[in-house]
Amino acid sequence: MRIRPATPQDLPRINWIYAQARDFMVRAGNPTQWAGGYPQPSMLDADIARGNLYVCVTDPADPCRFGQGEPAGEIPFPAAAEAGERIDAVFYFAVEEDATYQRIDGGAWLNQLPYGVVHRIAVAPGTHGLGTLCIRWALDRARSQGAAGGLRIDTHADNAPMRGLLANKLGFTACGTIYTYDGSPRIAFQHL
């Protein structure tokens, strides 16, 4: 398994993973976080062009693969740019100032040093541990790029699986509330 920058050829599988994630959120009581087909194709195209969209790929023949099989109706393998790999997770990562993180209500960031951000993380159904792997990779990458502010990420209040992963498993600190570009609130987390 490895993490690499996404390519335009990866988009069919990426879009399928996001569609599955939206369906999962609805079933888990979080119908509004990624409503309306978010993330939009133009956003993904721009993320790829800037080199900020990443995929976690696995070898389907690897007996140590995290997944336990594929659900019916999957985009057939291979749906990735490189033969012999399958995309099982996707996320945005960059070391940058995020405009939506300038204002935080009900708390404060742990520090004001440069930081990395993760957005739009999603994993394929039937996989286990990949969200953890991707976020840990992003935290390590942020540190290696000199981001002394560690990693920042936000999620919807109704996204209990992500809140649990960040706070309970990965040791992120809930710092307050930020607001997305459309004005909707998100719980903001940071890990140094």
Side-chain angles (χ1 to χ4, degrees), residues 78-155:
E82 299 178 27
E85 67 178 21
R86 185 172 68 197
I87 297 168
D88 280 330
V90 59
F91 62 99
Y92 175 96
F93 167 77
V95 172
E96 65 186 7
E97 288 282 327
D98 189 304
T100 63
Y101 290 174
Q102 298 303 308
R103 171 185 166 201
I104 186 165
D105 291 344
W109 295 111
L110 301 178
N111 63 30
Q112 295 302 317
L113 299 172
Y115 56 88
V117 296
V118 168
H119 294 300
R120 300 184 290 283
I121 186 167
V123 300
T127 59
H128 306 285
L130 291 182
T132 298
L133 177 100
C134 293
I135 293 170
R136 284 184 176 152
W137 178 92
L139 181 58
D140 289 344
R141 178 63 62 100
R143 289 173 176 156
S144 73
Q145 292 182 11
L151 192 65
R152 294 181 184 181
I153 188 170
D154 63 87
T155 194

